[in-house]
Amino acid sequence: MAAREVELRKISPASAFKVGLILGLIGLVIWLIAVTILYVGMDAAGVVDQVNSLIGGVGGEQAVGFGLAFMSALLMGAIGTILVAVLAPLTAVIYNLVADIMGGLRVTLDDKKK
C-alpha cells in the first residue's frame, strides 16, 4: 500500500482537556509512588532520623514523617495535575490559531505491517 499524507488542522480543546486530565492523573500516581519509594529508602538509610534530630536541635517541634511527606507530595502533584489539565486546552486553542495562519502538521500515514 502507498503512504498518504494528511494534515492536522484542528484539535478540539475538550478532547485536549480530557487527554491532559488523564495524563495528569497518571503522572500524579507515578509521582506518589516515586515519593513513597524515596521516603522508604531514605528512612532505611537513616536520613529521616537525621533530619528530625536536626529540626529538634534548632528548636523545632515538627517531625518529618511519612504522612507529612506524602501529603506535601500529594498537594504538589494535585497542583501539577490541575495545571496540565488547564494548559492542555489552552495549548490546543493556540495550535488552532497558528494552524489557521500557517497550516497544520503534515503526517504521513502508511498501511504497511511490520
Side-chain angles (χ1 to χ4, degrees), residues 22-97:
I22 295 298
L23 290 176
L25 290 173
I26 291 169
L28 175 64
V29 170
I30 293 170
W31 166 250
L32 292 176
I33 291 170
V35 166
T36 301
I37 291 170
L38 283 172
Y39 183 86
V40 168
M42 289 192 320
D43 191 32
V47 174
V48 175
D49 292 332
Q50 289 178 353
V51 169
N52 285 333
S53 67
L54 179 67
I55 290 172
V58 294
E61 296 179 16
Q62 179 70 35
V64 177
F66 178 72
L68 177 65
F70 190 79
M71 287 307 201
S72 300
L74 181 63
L75 177 64
M76 289 188 295
I79 291 169
T81 300
I82 292 169
L83 282 175
V84 167
V86 168
L87 290 177
L90 180 63
T91 304
V93 169
I94 292 170
Y95 173 80
N96 292 338
L97 292 173

Side-chain angles (χ1 to χ4, degrees), residues 8-23:
L8 180 61
R9 300 282 303 178
K10 182 172 172 53
I11 299 173
S12 167
S15 175
F17 174 76
K18 289 188 283 188
V19 170
L21 182 63
I22 295 298
L23 290 176

